[in-house]
Amino acid sequence: LVSDAKGNHFHFYDRECSIQRRYQKIIEESPSPAMDEVLRSKICDTALKISEGINYIGAGTIEFILADNGEFYFLEMNTRLQVEHPVTELVTGFDLVELQILAASGEAFKFDQKDIKQFGHAIECRINAEHPDNEFLPTIGRIQKIHSIANTDYRLDCGYSDGNNISTSFDPMLAKVIVHDSDRITAIEKMYDALDDVLFGGAKTNRDFLKRVLSHNLFVEGN
């Protein structure tokens, strides 16, 4: 959600972040395949009530845990943008960084909740310097080549360049790969192709592990 400085609060729908390792997300998507429209509306309305109740200003993420019976429970509120905010940007068309700056500047947003729609499906994968088959221990090395000539359409958020060294002094996340398409299955296929383009040659990463998850039947089925 994002709230402006004039008391207006807006939700930007939902994200699914169940695929994790060491309690940290590695695959995020929007919309969540675990929810129908009734449940989605209830969760989004609850998030708005929380934001309104504390007179929040700026961008924030409210996290819930969803039980098997459809009940959901408040976990926490992250009073900031999160790593996975690009999937929300791709399914809504809004620049959340811009909105956060506008809110901090004291401006009112020039749209209503009805103007915020979800279009298609977006998936984000975190590329980490780590060894998935060795308890996800961090790895080091020199990045020879980050990506090839793209054979598919994707967004790559990355602060590294070819030739950079990976050390143990920083978080192991190297980049985020984000795709968007008309439906979830097509988005999964596009992400699989995108990961073939994002090489990070010279460094051991979780890229192949992510591809295994994307092709797993339970993930494809949205379970």
Side-chain angles (χ1 to χ4, degrees):
L1 56 86
V2 187
S3 304
D4 65 19
K6 306 301 181 183
N8 300 302
H9 306 269
F10 304 93
H11 75 74
F12 288 77
Y13 294 94
D14 57 290
R15 294 191 294 257
E16 171 66 51
C17 304
S18 294
I19 306 299
Q20 305 182 16
R21 66 96 178 93
R22 292 184 173 178
Y23 304 105
Q24 185 179 59
K25 306 159 190 173
I26 55 172
I27 298 179
E28 299 105 343
E29 56 184 310
S30 181
S32 169
M35 296 196 293
D36 57 25
E37 291 308 311
V38 174
L39 180 56
R40 178 168 291 109
S41 179
K42 289 173 64 176
I43 283 185
C44 290
D45 287 346
T46 301
L48 282 179
K49 290 178 181 177
I50 293 173
S51 180
E52 293 166 355
I54 61 174
N55 297 315
Y56 189 70
I57 299 175
T61 302
I62 296 179
E63 296 190 355
F64 298 97
I65 292 178
L66 180 64
D68 290 338
N69 62 1
E71 295 293 325
F72 58 93
Y73 303 89
F74 174 78
L75 179 63
E76 65 179 358
M77 180 177 185
N78 291 291
T79 53
R80 54 177 172 79
L81 291 177
Q82 289 193 276
V83 172
E84 62 272 21
H85 79 268
V87 297
T88 298
E89 292 184 332
L90 289 181
V91 296
T92 64
F94 282 83
D95 185 331
L96 299 183
V97 176
E98 178 186 25
L99 293 183
Q100 183 172 250
I101 294 171
L102 290 174
S105 300
E107 298 188 33
F109 298 154
K110 298 179 181 178
F111 55 82
D112 296 316
Q113 183 65 58
K114 62 179 176 58
D115 298 318
I116 307 172
K117 309 289 185 182
Q118 276 182 316
F119 299 96
H121 199 94
I123 301 174
E124 174 181 293
C125 285
R126 303 189 190 192
I127 305 294
N128 294 331
E130 61 189 17
H131 199 315
D133 296 321
N134 188 21
E135 299 182 349
F136 294 94
L137 290 178
T139 59
I140 59 175
R142 179 184 293 273
I143 300 170
Q144 303 298 330
K145 191 171 182 61
I146 292 178
H147 60 86
S148 61
I149 299 174
N151 295 314
T152 189
D153 177 37
Y154 60 87
R155 169 175 163 177
L156 179 65
D157 290 3
C158 179
Y160 285 87
S161 301
D162 292 353
N164 283 170
N165 286 316
I166 302 170
S167 75
T168 57
S169 300
F170 304 99
D171 185 275
M173 187 171 67
L174 304 176
K176 303 181 293 183
V177 183
I178 313 100
V179 301
H180 178 265
D181 217 295
S182 58
D183 59 82
R184 185 172 185 267
I185 295 300
T186 308
I188 291 173
E189 294 170 349
K190 180 179 281 189
M191 176 60 79
Y192 198 90
D193 291 339
L195 291 174
D196 284 335
D197 282 325
V198 181
L199 307 173
F200 280 93
K204 175 64 179 177
T205 71
N206 64 336
R207 185 180 67 139
D208 290 342
F209 176 78
L210 292 168
K211 292 172 66 176
R212 294 204 301 268
V213 174
L214 290 169
S215 60
H216 197 290
N217 287 338
L218 291 178
F219 179 83
V220 174
E221 293 166 2
N223 189 341

